[in-house]
Each structure stands twice: as C-alpha cells, then as structure tokens.
C-alpha cells in the first residue's frame, strides 16, 4: 500500500472485469473505494484503463449487496447467522452424499474469483466431498481455445504477450470486438494500426478496428472454418509458407495441403460470403509480413466447431513460422478477469492444475499424498452435463459461486428448470441474481476489491489482487467460506491465508513451482515459472510443448454450423458485449455506466429492417426455435445483411432464452454465435421499446 494525501489509503490491485488484467490504484476514503486510477507500471495497461476498470466501482457500496447469509424456510429466504447457514450447507451435503453418493453434488467456481479461491473450491469438491464435479464458466467461453491450443502447440495459454501487438506488422483479429470487450488491449491494437501495423478483421459485424484496419472480411456466421482453410489454401498455393520452419518444427503438412486443395478463393467466397479477392488479399497481407499475431475471441470459440477453428488459427501461425518470436503471438482474448487462472488451477471436471488428467495415476497420487484422501480417477460432469443431470433428478445439489448461470448460460428456461429441480442449492455471491432465486442457502461474498490473492490474465500473467476495502456487513471472502465449509465436512484446509494456497499450488504444479507473492510483485509472472522464479513471457521459441516437440497442423474440414436460416427463421443472431457493461452486468449495472447505456437493442441491417417493416427504435420480437424476447431495434449498417446482433447484459431482456443446445463438439461450449431467428415488429405505444423476456 502507498500513501496519497487525497485519500486515506491507496492500494494497487488488478481489475476484476476482463482478461486484459489492467493494474489499478484503488483509492479509499472513509472506508469506501472513492476513486480508481490506472497503475502507471501495469504491464498490460501501461497507465491506461477503460471505463469499467476506472469508473465501475460503485457497486461495492450498492444497497443491494448481500451483507448477511440467508436460508430458505417454508419456501422463503430469511436472514440467518453464519453458523446456521454453514451448518445447513455441510449437513445437506453430508446427507445427500450419504443417500446418493458424492457425484450427486456439483460445484461451479467463479472466473471472477482468485486463483486461490478456485483452488480451494476444487479441493473441497474433490477431497472433502469426493467428486470431480467441478467446472467454471470457461466451459461456455474459451474451453475450445484451451482444447485447440493444447492439440496444436501444447499449452493452454497465449503464446506470447500483449506486447507482441506493438511488434506485429500484421494483426489478424477473428471473432473479437476487442475495443468493446477488451478495451485496453483493443486500444493498443488501434494504436498499432495508427503506427503502421495492418489489421485484418474477420467478423460478421464491423467494429472500431475494422475502421482503422487494412481489410475487413464480413463473413457469414458459422463459416470461420471455411474462411481459415481458404486462407490456408492461398498460403500454400502462392508460396507463402515458411518451408524451413514447417520442415524442422511442424508435422502434418501433407494432410493439410490435401484437405484444403479444393478450397479455392471462389469456393471460399461461396461458403463464407467474403469476396474471393479479399480472401487472397488477407492471405497475402498475413503471409508476406515479417511478423504477425493472431487474436481471437468468442466469435471463434462459441460455435459448433469452435475448438477445430482454434486449431485452424494455429495452422496459419505454424505454416508461416509466426510463433515463438517477438510480434508473432497467438492471443486468445480471454473473457472474464480470471477465466484463464480458474482453469489453470484445476476448477475443471477432467483435469487437475495445468490440465493434467484426473485419470493420470502419477498426478492423482501427488494430490492424494498432499491432501491425505483417496481421489477418483473418473472425470466429473461438465456444466451442461450438470444441468441435464439436475433435470433428470440424478444431481441433487449444487454450490454455485460468483456465476449467474440463470442469465448467462444458454437455454435459460432449461437452466431455470434444472435449478428448480435440485434438492439443495447454495449460491455464494455478491448480489442476488437469477440463479439465487432458487437458492436454499445464500452466502454473501467479498468482491475483487475486498480480497487478496491472484488473477491470471489473458497473457498467462499471474498478478496480485489486494484488498482495498473491507467486505460489507458480515460478508466473507470466498476462501474463508470454503475453509469454514470444508472444516465442517471433516477436511480442514491448512491455509493461514491466500499465499499459503499459492504455495500449495506451486508444490503440486511444476509450472507454478517458483510462484510467490514476493516474486509476483508489481509486474506479475507469466507461467511456466521455474523453481528459481524465472517466468516465460514467450512460449515455443525452440520447441512446442508436445511429444516430439513439433507443432501439429490439423487437417479439419469445414462443416456447417448447428443452426441455419430458414423460411421461418430467416436471420442469424450473433450475441456479444458492449463497452459499457460486463457480462451479465451484475456489477456494471450498479454503477454510473448504467447512465451511459441503460438498455440493450437489437442491431439490424437497413435492408432487413425494411424487409420486415421495422423502424429504428421500434419494439421487436426476436423468436428462435428455443424462445422469444422483446427489445428495441437499432437499424445500422455496422452489421452485414442477414444477421442481427445483441448483447446479454440485461436480465429484463434475457437474450439467452433464445440459445439452443448446439455446442462445440469437443468441449460442449454452447453455440451462442449462430442462432436462426425471426424478427417482427411489436405494436406498442411510443417510448416503450425497452425489452423483456418471454419464456417459450
Ligand atoms: Fe478492466 Fe479490462 Fe477495462 Fe482493463 S480493459 S480496465 S482489465 S475491463
């Protein structure tokens, strides 16, 4: 902590919104956070923040904050003491475990929480309860990134750093609206373009980076694979492959070359809608550049073949040798602040920390020895499987921490029914939300500004989080709550505080061997971190983290998406984020950002608006095979004809009622980005176009 004469205390911490991981100075006065400014030495933000990190802190003192536990009695929630609430949690888990076995209980860790929180929760689930039923929200965002990177290059993380943005001659940005969803990284990309870097955006919707870029490829939703394989075709056809790199560092070239042979620019145009000349141009801009980085977001991952498309992005870097050196990074734009870390430390049903299989005997024995309990070798349930099991009556209890699946997960009506079918639901959060409506116990938690630990940003950088204020009322940190529950379950956690947790992570995880809070300091550490504290800003300079050390080119064909337009549902809905709000808006809707953006709209192209009789500002009904919602229309040519766009920040709209069950074939990540819908005007009096949900 440092002293600033204008404030009682100033604390350096890390932003709790997105995966850029900006370092912040949180200024406290009278016990409250009153202002936040950027840390000038933050490695990712270099003295900048966006309007979320800088201004969206008033939620900490919102009157809606949960400040005491609640328990359900005779159908309603009432205030309870911590002892009563925790005893209820422990006794219900013990009862259900005794009656139905440990796999009748499941937990969801929060990607907003710290690495230490996630580690503690997965330990409680595995060691105290005895199940691998633990997952987190990466399941519905970047699990395909993790899968694809591990297949192609070996490790589940960015291959370099955000600093590679400034060293790249070309930035290929696919399915990512970086200036809205990752604003500080997006601003660095924009600056790079203004300094001469060529940006290629690939997205059904133009964004700010398209405006400063060299080329925008407005492809049809669900056709990423055709486009990426089409680029590969041109790279090979036109001699833009780094032959020596491929010969010495990569395997699988022949199979890939055979596969993409038919995907000429004309065929690619037919499949994607991107003009053949632009396919050729994109391949040449990327292939001819000395350095180039590839960034991608949920527009790649949240599709039926998202994990395969991540492998296709890796193909481009491997073919051209644009990996393992400055300016040549694979940059997944991870969504929530700690979605990278919560997965790295093993809050997943099939892997311990750093993605080591729960079925691997040697790894499991390490954990058994340290924790003093036998551990199962069969994987647990993924989040969508938990929902199905709850609906089927096989899953009896859930413990959901800092994750509003009622608003954010697909097919919201199904999620709601699953939660209602549970015998026992514990929700641990900072506010009530759509998920907590079904809770039997509600535990008040501390926000990121009220706790200590670490987050890992999108560039694998482990950074310190430090409490800048006390939690409100009797709210406790997640780590405290996990410790209290675990003790009641007969498995006391041996941690005196968060740093002890990190030391245990390091003891059981070679890639975290040298991580200490002192070494993390103000600059962070990018894993793998050797025992002497040496970190790894750049991966794959010499070899890939795969058996044999070679990168793997993936020969994967284009296949159509899970949903497609029809006469009944003629438009394709793509969902995404807005600059002013974050995810389900729980925090940002309780700040001044609500004045900047108070409701959501459906963006629709002028041609489609005219064809469907929709005026700008009119209330419309959006109907999919799954459900329907109503909201105001915004007629704009930012979006390609045939598509519509909205976000999911507002519970009164509940966009995710529209999303069906289609999901990535390898990871079960839902296909949020390709949903066939019909849009029709709704007759209402003027000024009523705000939006609400209609459950089908
Ligand atoms: Fe926070 Fe992301 Fe904004 Fe940085 S860019 S201040 S990490 S929300």
């Amino acid at each position: 902590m440092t002293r600033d004469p204008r404030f009682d205390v100033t604390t350096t911490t890390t932003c709790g919104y997105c995966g850029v991981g900006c370092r912040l100075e949180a200024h406290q006065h009278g016990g409250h956070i009153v202002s936040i400014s950027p840390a000038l030495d933050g490695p990712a933000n270099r003295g900048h923040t966006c309007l979320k990190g800088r201004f969206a802190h008033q939620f900490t003192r919102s009157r809606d904050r949960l400040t005491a536990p609640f328990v359900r009695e005779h159908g309603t929630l009432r205030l309870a003491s911590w002892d009563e609430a925790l005893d209820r949690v422990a006794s219900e888990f013990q009862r259900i475990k005794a009656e139905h076995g440990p796999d009748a209980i499941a937990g969801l860790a929060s990607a907003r929480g710290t690495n230490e929180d996630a580690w503690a929760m997965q330990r409680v689930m595995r060691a105290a309860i005895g199940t691998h039923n633990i997952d987190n929200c990466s399941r519905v965002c970047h699990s395909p990134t993790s899968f694809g990177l591990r297949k192609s290059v070996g490790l589940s993380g960015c291959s370099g750093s955000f600093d590679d943005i400034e060293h790249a001659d070309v930035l290929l940005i696919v399915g990512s609206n970086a200036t809205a969803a990752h604003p500080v990284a997006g601003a660095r990309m924009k600056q790079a373009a203004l300094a001469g870097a060529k940006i290629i955006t690939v997205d059904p919707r133009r964004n700010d980076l398209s405006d400063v870029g060299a080329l925008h490829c407005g492809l049809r939703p669900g056709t990423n694979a055709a486009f990426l394989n089409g680029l590969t075709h041109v790279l090979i056809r036109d001699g833009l492959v780094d032959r020596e790199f491929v010969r010495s560092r990569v395997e699988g070239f022949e199979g890939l070359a055979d596969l993409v042979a038919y995907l000429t620019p004309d065929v690619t145009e037919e499949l994607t809608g991107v003009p053949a000349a632009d396919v050729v141009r994109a391949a040449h801009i990327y292939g001819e550049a000395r350095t180039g980085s590839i960034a991608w977001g949920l527009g790649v991952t949240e599709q039926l073949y998202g994990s395969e498309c991540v492998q296709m992005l890796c193909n481009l870097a491997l073919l051209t040798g644009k990996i393992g050196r400055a300016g040549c990074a694979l940059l997944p734009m991870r969504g929530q602040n700690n979605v990278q870390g919560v997965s790295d430390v093993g809050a997943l049903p099939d892997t311990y920390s750093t993605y080591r299989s729960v079925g691997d005997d040697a790894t499991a024995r390490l954990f058994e020895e340290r924790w003093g309990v036998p551990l199962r070798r069969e994987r647990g349930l993924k989040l969508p499987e938990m929902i199905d099991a709850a609906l089927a009556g096989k899953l009896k209890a859930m413990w959901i921490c800092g994750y509003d699946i009622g608003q954010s997960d697909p097919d919201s009506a199904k999620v709601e029914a699953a939660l209602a079918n549970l015998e026992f639901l514990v929700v641990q959060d900072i506010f009530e939300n759509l998920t907590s409506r079904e809770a039997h116990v509600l535990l008040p938690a501390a926000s990121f500004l009220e706790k200590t630990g670490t987050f890992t940003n999108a560039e694998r950088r482990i950074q310190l989080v430090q409490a800048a204020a006390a939690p409100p009322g009797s709210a406790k940190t997640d780590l405290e709550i996990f410790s209290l529950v675990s003790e009641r379950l007969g498995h006391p956690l041996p941690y005196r505080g968060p740093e002890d947790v990190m030391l245990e992570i390091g003891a059981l995880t070679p890639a975290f061997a040298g991580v200490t809070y002192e070494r993390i300091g103000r600059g962070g550490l990018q894993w793998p971190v050797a025992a002497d504290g040496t970190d790894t800003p750049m991966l794959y300079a010499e070899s890939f983290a795969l058996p044999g050390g070679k990168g793997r080119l993936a020969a994967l064909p284009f296949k159509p998406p899970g949903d497609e337009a029809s006469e009944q549902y003629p438009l394709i809905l793509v969902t995404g984020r807005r600059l002013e709000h974050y995810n389900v808006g729980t925090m940002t809707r309780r700040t001044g950002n609500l004045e900047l953006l108070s409701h959501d709209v459906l963006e629709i192209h002028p041609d489609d608006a005219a064809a469907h009789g929709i005026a700008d500002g009119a209330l419309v009904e959006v109907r999919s095979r799954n459900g329907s919602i109503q909201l105001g229309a915004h007629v704009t040519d930012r979006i390609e004809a045939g598509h519509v766009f909205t976000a999911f920040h507002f519970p009164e709209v509940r966009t995710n009622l529209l999303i069906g069950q289609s999901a990535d074939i390898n990871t079960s990540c839902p296909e949020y980005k390709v949903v066939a819908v019909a849009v029709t005007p709704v007759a209402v009096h003027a000024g009523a176009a705000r939006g609400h949900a209609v459950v089908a």
Side-chain angles (χ1 to χ4, degrees):
M1 291 188 183
T2 54
R3 298 292 298 180
D4 184 311
R6 293 168 298 166
F7 309 109
D8 296 340
V9 184
T10 290
T11 306
T12 308
T13 190
T14 304
C15 182
Y17 284 107
C18 88
V20 175
C22 295
R23 296 280 286 156
L24 307 176
E25 306 285 5
H27 309 295
Q28 192 209 97
H29 183 71
H32 295 300
I33 311 285
V34 292
S35 166
I36 285 181
S37 55
L40 299 180
D41 58 353
N45 56 316
R46 300 172 168 183
H48 298 277
T49 63
C50 75
L51 81 178
K52 289 180 282 251
R54 181 145 195 185
F55 300 116
H57 55 80
Q58 301 98 322
F59 74 89
T60 52
R61 50 185 192 277
S62 162
R63 287 184 176 184
D64 298 345
R65 280 294 297 271
L66 287 168
T67 57
F70 287 81
V71 297
R72 190 169 294 278
E73 191 172 72
H74 309 306
T76 55
L77 287 170
R78 65 157 173 81
L79 278 169
S81 70
W82 271 102
D83 275 341
E84 182 186 8
L86 293 168
D87 287 347
R88 174 89 75 97
V89 172
S91 63
E92 280 297 280
F93 283 166
Q94 277 163 331
R95 176 187 68 77
I96 289 166
K97 182 176 169 179
E99 290 175 9
H100 305 283
D103 290 338
I105 304 169
L108 293 176
S110 178
R112 315 305 292 269
T114 61
N115 290 320
E116 292 76 3
D117 295 336
W119 177 273
M121 186 176 190
Q122 58 92 37
R123 176 166 171 173
V124 178
M125 295 306 298
R126 300 188 203 283
I129 294 176
T131 179
H132 290 307
N133 288 345
I134 173 84
D135 210 348
N136 74 79
C137 83
S138 72
R139 182 66 51 207
V140 300
C141 62
H142 268 284
S143 51
T145 289
S146 175
F147 181 94
L149 287 175
R150 282 188 281 155
K151 283 272 181 195
S152 294
V153 290
L155 297 176
S156 175
C158 172
S159 71
S161 306
F162 287 127
D163 285 356
D164 288 300
I165 292 169
E166 284 83 18
H167 294 119
D169 296 333
V170 176
L171 293 167
L172 175 62
I173 302 168
V174 186
S176 165
N177 184 1
T179 54
H182 302 86
V184 168
R188 288 179 69 168
M189 292 171 179
K190 209 168 186 175
Q191 291 290 334
L194 297 174
K198 289 181 177 163
I199 286 184
I200 305 164
T201 51
V202 182
D203 203 297
R205 181 168 168 260
R206 286 188 72 86
N207 57 46
D208 288 354
L209 294 173
S210 316
D211 294 344
V212 295
L215 179 64
H216 172 68
C217 300
L219 81 184
R220 286 188 202 107
T223 63
N224 287 333
F227 182 79
L228 297 172
N229 277 345
L231 286 190
T232 303
H233 172 99
V234 179
L235 290 175
I236 295 172
R237 184 195 72 180
D238 294 358
L240 298 168
V241 169
D242 182 335
R243 291 271 168 194
E244 175 50 26
F245 189 88
V246 169
R247 189 196 61 74
S248 59
R249 304 254 340 243
V250 173
E251 58 189 36
F253 179 77
E254 300 305 332
L256 178 60
D258 286 349
L259 177 91
V260 300
Y262 84 99
L263 265 167
T264 63
D266 287 337
V267 173
T268 305
E269 175 177 340
E270 208 174 295
L271 293 170
T272 65
V274 178
D278 286 349
V279 176
V280 175
R281 212 171 132 218
H284 277 259
I285 292 173
Y286 177 74
E288 288 169 7
R290 193 182 54 83
T291 56
S293 290
I294 303 175
W296 69 94
L298 304 182
V300 169
T301 58
E302 291 179 340
Q303 308 219 6
L304 183 57
Y305 301 102
S307 52
E308 294 191 345
C309 287
V310 173
Q311 293 170 263
M312 292 173 203
L313 288 167
C314 295
N315 285 349
L316 301 177
L318 292 171
L319 279 173
T320 58
K322 290 187 175 64
I323 187 164
R325 56 191 172 92
C328 299
L330 291 166
L331 277 170
M333 304 299 283
R334 304 302 298 254
Q336 305 213 52
N337 55 309
N338 199 35
V339 73
Q340 174 78 50
V342 72
S343 299
D344 292 343
V345 302
L348 292 168
D350 52 347
T351 55
Y352 292 109
S353 49
T354 56
Y355 312 92
R356 291 166 296 165
S357 169
V358 295
D360 179 68
D361 217 38
T363 304
R365 278 205 300 271
L366 280 178
F367 282 78
E368 287 175 333
E369 207 169 296
R370 176 95 184 191
W371 293 347
V373 293
L375 295 163
R376 313 263 295 278
R377 301 297 192 263
E378 312 80 33
R379 79 162 176 89
L381 297 174
K382 298 175 190 171
L383 169 51
E385 294 168 338
M386 293 176 190
I387 300 300
D388 288 338
L391 269 178
K394 291 180 187 156
L395 188 70
K396 305 289 182 186
M398 287 188 79
W399 186 1
I400 302 178
C401 301
Y403 183 4
D404 184 6
I405 60 171
Q407 187 179 336
S408 64
D409 275 39
D411 200 350
S412 309
K414 180 179 173 184
V415 172
E416 208 168 84
L419 293 175
N421 207 34
L422 292 168
E423 280 182 22
F424 187 60
L425 172 62
V426 185
V427 171
Q428 183 171 315
D429 217 311
I430 62 175
F431 293 106
E432 289 187 79
N433 54 36
L434 294 181
T435 302
S436 70
R437 291 198 302 204
E438 302 293 341
H440 298 90
V441 175
L442 194 45
L443 300 174
S447 75
F448 80 93
L449 288 162
E450 300 149 358
K451 63 165 73 169
T452 297
T454 57
F455 293 154
T456 306
N457 77 351
E459 38 175 21
R460 296 175 282 108
R461 191 185 301 277
I462 306 161
Q463 304 192 106
L464 285 179
V465 177
Q466 285 175 293
S474 73
K476 295 183 187 296
T477 66
D478 290 309
L479 180 56
E480 286 175 301
I481 299 170
F482 296 135
S483 298
L484 290 165
V485 172
S486 203
E487 191 172 7
R488 281 167 167 79
L489 292 172
H491 182 79
L493 302 179
Y495 314 128
R496 289 163 302 175
E499 187 162 14
D500 278 358
V501 182
M502 182 52 81
L503 293 177
E504 180 171 277
I505 298 173
L508 289 170
T509 315
F512 281 64
V515 180
T516 64
Y517 284 8
E518 190 183 353
R519 283 175 176 153
I520 292 172
R522 291 184 68 87
L525 292 170
Q526 286 172 278
W527 63 254
V529 181
D532 66 0
T534 308
D535 73 340
T536 319
M538 174 73 70
L539 298 172
Y540 316 130
E542 303 293 332
S543 66
F544 293 96
L546 289 165
K550 289 195 168 186
R552 289 189 189 145
L553 293 167
L556 297 161
F558 163 67
K559 289 158 277 184
D563 205 355
E564 54 189 350
S566 63
E567 206 174 314
Q568 198 181 357
Y569 301 103
L571 299 168
I572 293 293
L573 170 72
V574 178
T575 62
R577 291 174 177 158
R578 309 272 185 201
L579 171 64
E580 296 80 0
H581 290 285
Y582 200 74
N583 221 35
V584 293
T586 315
M587 288 146 65
T588 50
R589 283 186 284 102
R590 291 179 170 95
T591 69
N593 287 22
L594 193 62
E595 286 161 36
L596 300 174
L597 185 75
S598 62
H599 60 282
D600 223 325
V601 292
L602 183 82
E603 292 179 18
I604 185 167
H605 190 272
D607 293 349
D608 294 322
H612 295 89
I614 292 163
D616 191 35
L619 182 67
V620 294
E621 180 184 54
V622 186
R623 195 164 23 84
S624 74
R625 292 181 178 86
N626 223 59
S628 68
I629 61 171
Q630 294 184 355
L631 73 172
H634 173 51
V635 179
T636 170
D637 59 10
R638 300 289 287 178
I639 190 151
E640 302 282 327
H643 317 147
V644 289
F645 174 89
T646 190
F648 56 96
H649 302 308
F650 292 89
E652 58 270 31
V653 174
R654 296 194 70 188
T655 305
N656 289 323
L657 283 166
L658 300 171
I659 315 296
Q661 292 297 302
S662 181
D664 175 56
I665 53 167
N666 291 307
T667 65
S668 308
C669 179
E671 193 168 41
Y672 289 99
K673 301 294 184 185
V674 190
V675 181
V677 296
V679 181
T680 48
V682 176
V684 286
H685 56 84
R690 278 299 170 94
H692 63 269
V694 182
V695 179

